[in-house]
Amino acid sequence: MSKIPTRIYLSEDEAPQYWYNLRAVMKNKPAPILHPGTLEPVTAADMEAIFCKEPVKQELDDTTKLIPIPDGILDFYRAYRPAALIRAYYLEKALGTPAEIYYKFEGTNTSGSHKLNSAGPQAFYAKEEGLARLTTETGAGQWGTAMAMAAAFYGIELTVYMVKISAEQKPYRKAVMETYGAEVYPSPSDTTDAGRRILERDPDTYGSLGCAISEAIETAMKSDKCRYVLGSVLNHVLLHQSVIGLETKTALDKYGIAPDVIIGCAGGGSNLGGLIAPFMGERIEGKNSIRFVAVEPASCPSLTRGRFAYDFGDTAKTTPLIKMKTLGNGFIPSSNHAGGLRYHGMNSVLSQLFEDGLLEARSETQNDVFEAAVKFSKVEGILPAPESSHAIKAAVDEALECKKTGEKKVILFGLTGTGYFDLSAYMQYNAGTLSDRVPTDDDLAEGFASIPDIPQNR
Amino acid sequence: MSKIPTRIYLSEDEAPQYWYNLRAVMKNKPAPILHPGTLEPVTAADMEAIFCKEPVKQELDDTTKLIPIPDGILDFYRAYRPAALIRAYYLEKALGTPAEIYYKFEGTNTSGSHKLNSAGPQAFYAKEEGLARLTTETGAGQWGTAMAMAAAFYGIELTVYMVKISAEQKPYRKAVMETYGAEVYPSPSDTTDAGRRILERDPDTYGSLGCAISEAIETAMKSDKCRYVLGSVLNHVLLHQSVIGLETKTALDKYGIAPDVIIGCAGGGSNLGGLIAPFMGERIEGKNSIRFVAVEPASCPSLTRGRFAYDFGDTAKTTPLIKMKTLGNGFIPSSNHAGGLRYHGMNSVLSQLFEDGLLEARSETQNDVFEAAVKFSKVEGILPAPESSHAIKAAVDEALECKKTGEKKVILFGLTGTGYFDLSAYMQYNAGTLSDRVPTDDDLAEGFASIPDIPQNR
């Protein structure tokens, strides 16, 4: 056995005391978020009607590099962190690669993913600001579960609008949230105007994330004591997720390990953005020459096939406008079990880094991803989430490339979560019935048509 | 924050290098296992027809205190261990108790429980002995999943007979096992004489653990290259599980923490026996005065209401006879969601310790257990398995007693696994429809009638 342990855990006093705000070191900052009515940059006051105050401040801050984590949030992080950085000795051996492979595993908490890293802070700030309740939406259920856990921890009420088809197909996800005390409504519901309108038109609708977002925002705006929280895409979410990268960097530095390539799956970008933050910061500062790779599903290729344009964050076109890589808010991805990666756009920081050539991207089809996932699960003993398995697939390919060239690269990837709630997808993979459909150029054109026609340069 | 961290992880070089065989230090050893035909003590040769050779040796060894863990198994343990010892700061605060509470959490691996600690060794020995295949049975699916993972790790085939009702109700458990490459048959199946006989009699049967065991043993005995493995009750399983107690002891010793009471849930006894092994050994050697508490479901109270007698391990009366606390092999527990605790008997070591007054026992009803589980999940952030929650309930009661008396006791309990696959039970608890039925004296009398009428003292 090498001197580097299989699992590297930081001690509590090595845990990060601040978040890393990558925007502060970027030469080309992400373009400002625009108010959809005025097309002017949004102000804190605009956003505070919907979101909590401190997250809004963080959302708009592109100058403070290190933002201290309040004690009340460090206390929350200690309940399930630090997460292990794992040396993939078993996978390396199975692949016969000279490469060293490491992965940061965020899946050992009950929510099953990294989402808890931002759910905690968002619940904390809401409590600090004297709010009584938060609202949010959830599709597959990971974010809703994380928020339910965080709300229970801080003693604040939570209403979750869960996409109806998902609430029906995943009753256990709903049960976890309810066990943690959250109020869960299948969306569309009759508790909001937005929901009632859609139900009137189509009583048998499956629901959609767009509709769930509208219901959550409407409910939040009804009361001074209630605000809305979101689990990805936004800059403050990436900021909170920087604990992933900071812990990883401390662990690697401790053993003198310098990664050559860092890989993460990318949907809205929260995990990838958090993982790479401090490493990318140093790259921009000229202190390393690491390659950064985003991996997205071929069925929803915002970075690899999308446009760089101002677009809405939701299909109902109610959010502020964000300059990002996007397939268009009206784009409908074909069936894919990585629910967390089925988003038409990409966080604006990551989009800008991609445009600037600092971030690579590749896309993968489902069956290839599940093949890598199953191989990984047998040797590493962890059944990964379909989302996370996109990063596994890319890491395996990098390692096999090293096998060809004989290079001893150091490969790092983010393993965002477990696949306990995705077993129907594994069943389909085992049965050989998973679809590998990718969007045609016509599909893309249809999506692009939904991008609003506004001046793109400011 | 105190100097004791929330999570204590051992480094790899602090990990146990040997298992702790508690029988070696017991003054009253467990009574010998008897051959059901001759009523004479079984020999290694008798048992090797069914089980692998090295586990049989371990099963019959009551003199070697420390048994070295082979490198090939240490390698397996490194893939998911050491497990964290967690200081329950948040639970202590919520209870307002002066007690210190610690728990050893075995649920972060993909099988979701401690079962992997014996699955690995049993697969390793089978591979070492040149076998091609193993067979086993599974009820709720935790043991089957652990065996599937271990078999995949060592590259040996596995056939799992899964109780039919469970295979139908928990298709995802079956999917995990199949993803790891195991062959899973709902039992009774048409692949064995035992299965076909039962199907002929009752084609619509739900199946039973007894029947699944019979099928697994029959299949194992058909081939020289195939053996049977079992996940609890037997002494070699407790031996493998002693890694739990050894890691815990090293972690506590490191911080100078001396437990006053150690609590574990008890079904067949594998977790409790493993957790207490080195502590109980020192108690017997006069080096401590720790109290040891087994917690069982009130619906299946083998320690608190059972008899100490030779009994069969299975309802089909095919196994060797074991002297143990038993409700009778024909006892049918009322509905309880802690599937892992629904066993009529108790491991012979634990039964003897109970008889000798070294081990206390108490029983708990379902609603009380789930109430403790939900309270725990909200503050500690882990949704526990119903089995593990029995230990939580007893630990909470001990801590509340300290609150009354002002004592600063150190309470340690075993948290064996997560409740991800038990959410239907949580749903019933949330809905208030969980049964608290306990067996009547008549129910017990019926079970006792199935205990074989043989001389009990030898």
Side-chain angles (χ1 to χ4, degrees):
Chain A
M1 215 62 192
S2 155
K3 271 179 299 181
I4 296 168
T6 310
R7 293 175 173 243
I8 305 174
Y9 286 106
L10 300 182
S11 67
E12 278 182 6
D13 40 9
E14 294 169 314
Q17 304 293 306
Y18 53 82
W19 290 303
Y20 190 100
N21 184 6
L22 183 53
R23 284 163 291 161
V25 297
M26 287 172 73
K27 281 158 195 160
N28 295 328
K29 313 269 186 200
I33 302 170
L34 301 186
H35 189 288
T38 64
L39 297 188
E40 290 301 314
V42 289
T43 63
D46 293 335
M47 294 192 78
E48 284 169 8
I50 302 176
F51 297 99
C52 296
K53 288 194 179 72
E54 193 63 28
V56 165
K57 210 173 122 192
Q58 295 168 348
E59 186 66 26
L60 300 176
D61 182 347
D62 60 7
T63 55
T64 315
K65 180 170 159 184
L66 302 179
I67 296 180
I69 306 174
D71 282 347
I73 296 173
L74 289 175
D75 195 38
F76 180 80
Y77 283 164
R78 266 193 298 270
Y80 68 100
R81 306 194 69 80
L85 176 69
I86 302 176
R87 171 75 182 267
Y89 282 116
Y90 306 96
L91 180 62
E92 290 170 19
K93 196 175 157 198
L95 297 174
T97 179
E100 290 181 20
I101 308 175
Y102 296 85
Y103 56 98
K104 180 72 168 174
F105 183 34
E106 292 286 327
T108 56
N109 68 76
T110 284
S111 80
S113 83
H114 67 295
K115 293 284 180 188
L116 212 49
N117 301 332
S118 184
Q122 296 198 56
F124 169 81
Y125 289 125
K127 188 74 182 177
E128 286 278 293
E129 291 173 24
L131 300 178
R133 177 176 291 275
L134 289 170
T135 68
T136 197
E137 77 290 332
T138 200
Q142 279 185 326
W143 170 247
T145 306
M147 268 313 303
M149 292 176 67
F153 187 89
Y154 288 111
I156 190 164
E157 304 292 318
L158 177 72
T159 302
V160 180
Y161 291 93
M162 184 173 191
V163 177
K164 195 167 135 197
I165 180 78
S166 188
E168 283 170 6
Q169 285 179 346
K170 301 192 169 187
Y172 293 161
R173 271 289 187 191
K174 184 163 173 280
V176 183
M177 292 183 256
E178 288 175 341
T179 298
Y180 276 96
E183 196 177 83
V184 183
Y185 294 110
S187 168
S189 75
D190 62 3
T191 67
T192 65
D193 290 340
R196 282 187 292 266
R197 267 198 306 271
I198 292 171
L199 283 175
E200 255 168 50
R201 223 182 310 149
D202 179 7
D204 298 323
T205 177
Y206 289 156
S208 70
L209 214 47
C211 168
I213 292 176
S214 305
E215 289 199 86
I217 292 179
E218 180 183 327
T219 301
M221 292 182 75
K222 268 182 211 152
S223 159
D224 270 3
K225 292 284 180 202
C226 186
R227 286 293 181 279
Y228 166 74
V229 288
L230 185 66
S232 189
V233 188
L234 295 177
N235 295 328
H236 66 272
V237 178
L238 263 77
L239 178 74
H240 304 154
Q241 293 295 354
S242 69
V243 289
I244 304 174
L246 289 162
E247 278 185 10
T248 304
K249 192 163 183 319
T250 304
L252 290 175
D253 287 351
K254 207 167 150 178
Y255 288 90
I257 305 158
D260 294 298
V261 53
I262 303 182
I263 299 166
C265 61
S270 71
N271 150 67
L272 178 67
L275 174 66
I276 69 174
F279 300 97
M280 179 64 87
E282 291 199 349
R283 161 92 188 263
I284 293 171
E285 291 168 341
K287 295 179 186 160
N288 70 43
S289 54
I290 298 173
R291 282 174 51 219
F292 298 90
V293 181
V295 193
E296 54 188 16
S299 60
C300 195
S302 59
L303 285 172
T304 49
R305 297 176 71 192
R307 291 207 180 141
F308 188 51
Y310 269 108
D311 194 7
F312 291 100
D314 66 331
T315 47
K317 302 182 195 259
T318 58
T319 68
L321 291 160
I322 298 173
K323 180 93 178 251
M324 59 182 173
K325 290 289 289 186
T326 179
L327 296 161
N329 60 72
F331 176 78
I332 296 164
S334 55
S335 157
N336 185 299
H337 286 280
L341 306 185
R342 296 183 82 225
Y343 185 68
H344 67 277
M346 180 60 61
N347 165 269
S348 64
V349 170
L350 296 175
S351 295
Q352 186 64 52
L353 292 169
F354 179 79
E355 283 301 300
D356 293 345
L358 288 161
L359 175 66
E360 301 169 28
R362 65 180 73 167
S363 72
E364 302 289 351
T365 52
Q366 284 203 100
N367 281 293
D368 287 350
V369 165
F370 274 87
E371 188 190 343
V374 170
K375 177 179 297 201
F376 176 87
S377 75
K378 287 185 181 172
V379 293
E380 291 288 319
I382 296 168
L383 190 78
E387 289 85 351
S388 327
S389 304
H390 285 72
I392 295 174
K393 163 69 174 134
V396 165
D397 285 348
E398 288 280 341
L400 290 177
E401 188 58 31
C402 288
K403 189 176 176 178
K404 273 192 212 155
T405 62
E407 281 177 292
K408 293 189 180 185
K409 277 192 192 163
V410 176
I411 301 166
L412 167 69
F413 71 92
L415 191 74
T416 53
T418 61
Y420 300 146
F421 289 93
D422 303 285
L423 283 160
S424 65
Y426 277 95
M427 285 165 82
Q428 286 183 35
Y429 170 71
N430 293 338
T433 58
L434 272 189
S435 158
D436 273 342
R437 188 175 181 279
V438 300
T440 62
D441 288 342
D442 283 352
D443 294 334
L444 291 186
E446 208 170 307
F448 293 148
S450 64
I451 298 174
D453 186 19
I454 64 161
Q456 292 293 343
N457 292 320
R458 21 195 90 232
Chain B
M1 214 65 195
S2 156
K3 272 179 298 181
I4 296 167
T6 311
R7 292 172 175 245
I8 306 175
Y9 286 105
L10 300 182
S11 67
E12 277 183 6
D13 42 7
E14 293 169 316
Q17 303 293 309
Y18 53 82
W19 290 304
Y20 191 99
N21 184 6
L22 183 53
R23 285 162 291 163
V25 297
M26 288 171 73
K27 281 158 195 158
N28 296 327
K29 312 268 187 202
I33 302 169
L34 301 186
H35 189 288
T38 64
L39 298 188
E40 291 300 315
V42 288
T43 63
D46 292 336
M47 293 191 80
E48 284 168 10
I50 302 176
F51 297 100
C52 297
K53 290 194 177 71
E54 194 63 29
V56 164
K57 210 174 123 192
Q58 295 168 347
E59 186 66 26
L60 301 176
D61 182 347
D62 61 9
T63 55
T64 315
K65 180 170 159 185
L66 301 180
I67 297 181
I69 306 174
D71 282 346
I73 296 173
L74 289 175
D75 195 39
F76 180 81
Y77 283 164
R78 266 192 298 269
Y80 68 100
R81 307 194 68 79
L85 176 68
I86 302 177
R87 171 74 182 269
Y89 282 116
Y90 307 96
L91 181 62
E92 290 170 18
K93 195 175 156 198
L95 297 173
T97 178
E100 289 179 21
I101 309 176
Y102 296 85
Y103 56 99
K104 180 73 167 173
F105 182 33
E106 292 285 327
T108 56
N109 70 75
T110 284
S111 80
S113 82
H114 67 295
K115 293 285 179 187
L116 211 50
N117 301 332
S118 185
Q122 295 197 55
F124 169 82
Y125 290 125
K127 187 75 182 175
E128 286 279 293
E129 290 172 24
L131 299 179
R133 179 176 288 275
L134 289 170
T135 69
T136 197
E137 78 290 330
T138 200
Q142 280 186 325
W143 169 246
T145 306
M147 269 314 301
M149 292 176 67
F153 187 88
Y154 288 110
I156 190 163
E157 304 291 319
L158 176 72
T159 302
V160 181
Y161 291 93
M162 183 172 192
V163 177
K164 194 166 135 196
I165 180 78
S166 187
E168 283 169 7
Q169 286 180 345
K170 301 192 171 187
Y172 292 161
R173 270 290 188 193
K174 185 162 171 281
V176 184
M177 291 183 257
E178 288 174 342
T179 298
Y180 276 96
E183 195 177 84
V184 183
Y185 294 110
S187 167
S189 75
D190 62 3
T191 67
T192 65
D193 290 341
R196 283 186 292 266
R197 266 199 306 274
I198 292 169
L199 282 175
E200 254 168 51
R201 222 180 312 147
D202 179 6
D204 298 323
T205 177
Y206 289 156
S208 70
L209 214 47
C211 168
I213 293 176
S214 306
E215 288 198 87
I217 293 179
E218 182 184 324
T219 301
M221 292 181 76
K222 267 182 210 152
S223 159
D224 270 2
K225 292 286 181 197
C226 185
R227 288 292 181 278
Y228 167 74
V229 288
L230 185 66
S232 188
V233 187
L234 295 178
N235 295 329
H236 66 272
V237 178
L238 264 76
L239 178 73
H240 303 154
Q241 295 294 354
S242 69
V243 289
I244 304 173
L246 290 162
E247 278 185 11
T248 304
K249 192 164 184 316
T250 303
L252 291 174
D253 287 350
K254 206 167 150 176
Y255 287 89
I257 306 158
D260 294 299
V261 53
I262 302 181
I263 299 166
C265 62
S270 70
N271 151 68
L272 178 67
L275 174 66
I276 69 175
F279 300 97
M280 179 63 87
E282 291 200 350
R283 161 92 189 263
I284 293 170
E285 291 167 341
K287 294 177 187 162
N288 70 44
S289 54
I290 298 172
R291 282 173 52 218
F292 298 90
V293 181
V295 192
E296 54 187 16
S299 60
C300 195
S302 59
L303 285 171
T304 49
R305 297 175 72 192
R307 290 206 180 140
F308 189 51
Y310 269 108
D311 194 6
F312 291 100
D314 66 332
T315 47
K317 301 180 194 260
T318 57
T319 68
L321 291 159
I322 298 173
K323 180 91 176 252
M324 59 182 172
K325 290 289 289 187
T326 179
L327 296 161
N329 60 72
F331 176 77
I332 296 164
S334 55
S335 158
N336 186 299
H337 286 282
L341 306 183
R342 297 183 81 223
Y343 185 70
H344 67 277
M346 181 59 63
N347 164 270
S348 65
V349 170
L350 295 175
S351 295
Q352 186 64 51
L353 292 169
F354 179 81
E355 283 301 300
D356 293 344
L358 289 161
L359 175 67
E360 302 169 29
R362 66 180 72 168
S363 72
E364 301 289 351
T365 52
Q366 284 203 100
N367 281 293
D368 288 350
V369 165
F370 274 87
E371 189 189 343
V374 170
K375 176 180 298 205
F376 176 86
S377 75
K378 286 185 182 173
V379 292
E380 291 289 322
I382 297 168
L383 190 78
E387 290 84 350
S388 326
S389 303
H390 285 73
I392 295 174
K393 164 70 174 135
V396 165
D397 286 348
E398 288 280 341
L400 290 177
E401 188 59 32
C402 288
K403 189 175 177 178
K404 273 192 211 154
T405 62
E407 280 177 290
K408 294 189 181 187
K409 275 190 192 165
V410 175
I411 301 165
L412 166 70
F413 71 91
L415 191 73
T416 54
T418 61
Y420 300 146
F421 290 93
D422 303 286
L423 282 160
S424 64
Y426 277 95
M427 286 165 83
Q428 286 183 36
Y429 171 71
N430 293 338
T433 59
L434 272 188
S435 158
D436 272 342
R437 188 175 181 278
V438 300
T440 63
D441 288 343
D442 283 353
D443 293 333
L444 291 185
E446 208 171 305
F448 293 148
S450 65
I451 297 174
D453 187 19
I454 63 161
Q456 293 293 343
N457 293 321
R458 23 195 86 231

